[in-house]
Amino acid sequence: MKKLWRRFRGEGKHKKKLLHKYTGILLVGILFFPLSFPLTTVFIYLPAEVLSDASLPYANLTDLEDTFHEEVDRLPSSPSQIEAFLKEWHKKYPDASLFWLNREGYLQQFFGAEPQNLIPGPWTPGDTVQFMKDNYDSDPFTIVAFIGESKNEGFAVFQVDRSLTETPLDNFTKKYGIYFYAFMFVFLAAFLFISWRFFRGIQKRLVQLEHGMHQLDDEGIPTPVLITKDDEIGALEHSFQEMVAQLKEDRRKQKEEEQLRKDLIAHLSHDLKTPLTALRGQLYQLQQEPQNEKSTHITTQMNQKIMHISQYMEQLLSYTLLSAGRYQFEPTTVDLQKKLRSFLAIWYPSFEKRGIQVKVDIPETPVRTRLDPSWLERIVDNCMSNILQHATGATTVTCILVTTENTWIVKFIDNGQGIKAESKTRGARVGLSIVSLMCERMNVTWSIDSIEGKGTVVTFSGDTFYP
């Protein structure tokens, strides 16, 4: 954990590359977005400004209007001089229309195209105001200036089509101004796309790591993942690889230890059988000699202990062979009700000797299933032996066989003190472990329901077999 924490903090060879990368993306977006406006202006509008003709006569309407007003203000009241001025301006601005009205409001000389719907005169103050209102900020571009400093000698009018006043930059803006917004949209879309690709890459790597965590091999260990990059997620992938390797090493050691334990149990079981057999033979010879009541009791107790030890060693050996998969297994089709009757009949004398009544509720009709007969006998013997040895205070033992359309159910029921009650003889756990392994191999489900003080029910169920 310390090593992983150091990697996420950026220590060692695993740096915060993802953090630095996205910080760079944010910095580019934060810095470049405000700069995009002037940059767009430079790259889009500067060429048009350079290519524009600054000498165009109508390029600067403000200067044109100011000049016209200044020169008209300096004009004398002489009609000839006024007409000469307008004629000179028409030569300078040939595309414009110029005319003037005298102090009585009559329309005088025209230069250029005659304006439409123009009143010849006399003009009233209302007509003058209406003319100025109609032409204010409209097409054509219109300048109205009073003649002379006294402002009562009439007024001169300058008009030009607004299309002639537009510069190449204005035309360029109208035609290509949309590209400015398009460029801004492309930049924003590029920033969002790069951010999406960045987080999409992180998501794919995390999903791949999650898939590796959930995909288990035959031993139940997660499969290794490919380390793609040397960054924070790469550090996580590397730690995951180390965890998988450690799990495999632990599993290998566990198997070795389990195999050593099984071999030890098998060897001990085999080695203890010989002295137990010799001890039993010597005890038998001793029992043939004349004995008093006390010595007879002692030899009987010794014989029972030897039998219990022998049975326990046999169970240990069987459990070891079953765990290793080396216990002989030969499944075949059997008549379950017939086998149960024959196996239970062997135990009648033992239970009658203990004063325990054996009840059997097994149908007469055949119940066919696929089991190993010797394993079935071993399971029945283990159940009956456990009841005989551990069901303290039991008075009845019942074996029930029930069949349905596709399954069979067998129950062993006793009315003893329950499986949790104390017993003078232990070893039931090994026997139940043997029963569990055998049932698992034969696809038989089983369970134990025990209530202390009321008894125990052991249930087995499996599929019926129709040849």
Side-chain angles (χ1 to χ4, degrees):
M1 290 297 296
K2 290 183 178 179
K3 185 185 295 184
L4 182 61
W5 175 247
R6 289 183 61 194
R7 286 173 180 167
F8 274 110
R9 289 179 57 191
E11 301 177 12
K13 62 179 182 179
H14 296 280
K15 305 299 182 181
K16 294 183 178 180
K17 294 187 176 180
L18 291 176
L19 178 61
H20 296 163
K21 185 181 294 186
Y22 192 64
T23 302
I25 294 175
L26 290 177
L27 288 176
V28 170
I30 294 173
L31 296 177
F32 190 73
F33 191 77
L35 293 176
S36 61
F37 290 96
L39 290 176
T40 304
T41 303
V42 169
F43 286 107
I44 293 181
Y45 291 105
L46 185 60
E49 184 69 24
V50 173
L51 295 175
S52 64
D53 187 2
S55 62
L56 290 175
Y58 313 105
N60 195 326
L61 295 179
T62 302
D63 292 344
L64 177 64
E65 184 175 4
D66 292 341
T67 303
F68 187 75
H69 276 285
E70 290 177 359
E71 293 187 8
V72 171
D73 285 345
R74 293 195 299 266
L75 286 176
S77 59
S78 172
S80 59
Q81 291 181 347
I82 295 174
E83 292 179 2
F85 167 78
L86 296 178
K87 184 176 182 180
E88 180 182 354
W89 266 68
H90 185 260
K91 290 181 180 179
K92 187 176 180 181
Y93 303 100
D95 297 314
S97 297
L98 293 98
F99 63 92
W100 70 285
L101 282 82
N102 58 17
R103 68 176 61 184
E104 287 81 15
Y106 287 95
L107 189 61
Q108 303 299 311
Q109 187 73 30
F110 278 103
F111 295 93
E114 182 178 352
Q116 297 180 358
N117 301 325
L118 196 62
I119 300 174
W123 283 33
T124 64
D127 295 332
T128 304
V129 172
Q130 186 64 40
F131 174 79
M132 297 178 66
K133 181 179 179 181
D134 293 341
N135 290 274
Y136 176 76
D137 197 20
S138 62
D139 192 10
F141 173 75
T142 302
I143 305 174
V144 178
F146 290 101
I147 300 173
E149 296 180 358
S150 62
K151 311 297 183 184
N152 57 2
E153 299 296 332
F155 60 89
V157 178
F158 177 95
Q159 290 185 320
V160 65
D161 195 335
R162 282 191 178 272
S163 61
L164 300 176
T165 65
E166 294 178 350
T167 63
L169 180 60
D170 296 330
N171 294 327
F172 185 88
T173 301
K174 288 183 178 180
K175 190 173 182 180
Y176 300 105
I178 187 64
Y179 290 103
F180 173 83
Y181 301 100
F183 179 82
M184 298 302 301
F185 175 78
V186 168
F187 171 77
L188 181 61
F191 176 76
L192 295 177
F193 178 74
I194 293 173
S195 299
W196 176 81
R197 284 290 303 271
F198 177 79
F199 288 108
R200 177 63 176 170
I202 294 177
Q203 182 189 26
K204 289 178 64 177
R205 294 173 64 189
L206 291 177
V207 169
Q208 180 182 1
L209 182 59
E210 181 186 14
H211 180 71
M213 291 179 177
H214 288 88
Q215 188 176 5
L216 307 179
D217 58 14
D218 297 336
E219 296 181 345
I221 298 176
T223 57
V225 296
L226 180 64
I227 301 177
T228 54
K229 296 180 180 179
D230 185 20
D231 51 22
E232 290 89 337
I233 298 180
L236 184 60
E237 293 169 343
H238 183 76
S239 298
F240 181 74
Q241 294 282 55
E242 291 182 348
M243 182 194 71
V244 171
Q246 186 64 41
L247 286 175
K248 289 185 176 181
E249 180 65 19
D250 293 343
R251 187 61 56 86
R252 184 187 65 81
K253 292 180 179 179
Q254 181 181 359
K255 286 184 176 181
E256 290 181 355
E257 293 173 357
E258 185 176 355
Q259 187 61 40
L260 288 173
R261 180 179 58 83
K262 291 178 180 179
D263 293 341
L264 178 61
I265 293 175
H267 293 156
L268 286 175
S269 300
H270 182 270
D271 293 341
L272 288 175
K273 280 185 177 182
T274 301
L276 285 175
T277 303
L279 186 59
R280 182 179 294 176
Q282 293 174 1
L283 184 61
Y284 175 77
Q285 292 179 1
L286 183 61
Q287 288 176 336
Q288 303 305 314
E289 300 293 332
Q291 300 180 25
N292 55 30
E293 183 178 354
K294 184 176 181 180
S295 62
T296 301
H297 178 72
I298 293 174
T299 55
T300 301
Q301 291 292 325
M302 291 177 63
N303 188 46
Q304 290 179 354
K305 293 296 183 182
I306 292 173
M307 288 179 61
H308 290 162
I309 293 174
S310 179
Q311 291 175 359
Y312 189 68
M313 297 308 298
E314 179 64 28
Q315 287 182 340
L316 283 176
L317 180 60
S318 299
Y319 177 76
T320 302
L321 293 175
L322 281 170
S323 300
R326 294 184 293 175
Y327 202 88
Q328 187 176 3
F329 178 58
E330 296 178 352
T332 185
T333 303
V334 298
D335 184 354
L336 185 57
Q337 62 90 17
K338 186 176 181 180
K339 289 293 183 181
L340 284 176
R341 291 181 185 276
S342 63
F343 295 155
L344 291 173
I346 301 174
W347 288 92
Y348 286 167
S350 300
F351 280 93
E352 289 178 356
K353 187 176 180 180
R354 292 278 298 273
I356 301 175
Q357 183 182 3
V358 179
K359 297 180 180 181
V360 177
D361 185 6
I362 299 176
E364 296 294 336
T365 57
V367 179
R368 299 192 179 278
T369 186
R370 191 169 182 80
L371 300 170
D372 186 321
S374 62
W375 286 29
L376 177 60
E377 183 179 8
R378 184 65 179 269
I379 291 173
V380 174
D381 289 346
N382 272 324
C383 290
M384 301 303 287
S385 176
N386 285 334
I387 293 173
L388 189 63
Q389 297 179 23
H390 304 288
T392 306
T395 58
T396 59
V397 175
T398 306
C399 178
I400 302 175
L401 172 60
V402 181
T403 59
T404 61
E405 183 178 356
N406 298 314
T407 60
W408 54 263
I409 300 174
V410 175
K411 293 185 177 182
F412 294 93
I413 306 172
D414 70 75
N415 61 347
Q417 295 300 312
I419 201 170
K420 294 182 180 180
E422 292 293 333
S423 177
K424 295 181 180 179
T425 308
R426 298 185 180 274
R429 293 181 180 177
V430 178
L432 293 179
S433 299
I434 294 174
V435 170
S436 179
L437 290 174
M438 287 184 169
C439 288
E440 181 180 358
R441 184 71 183 278
M442 293 190 297
N443 295 323
V444 174
T445 58
W446 77 291
S447 62
I448 297 179
D449 297 316
S450 182
I451 300 177
E452 191 170 356
K454 291 186 178 182
T456 303
V457 179
V458 183
T459 305
F460 300 91
S461 64
D463 297 331
T464 54
F465 179 74
Y466 298 96

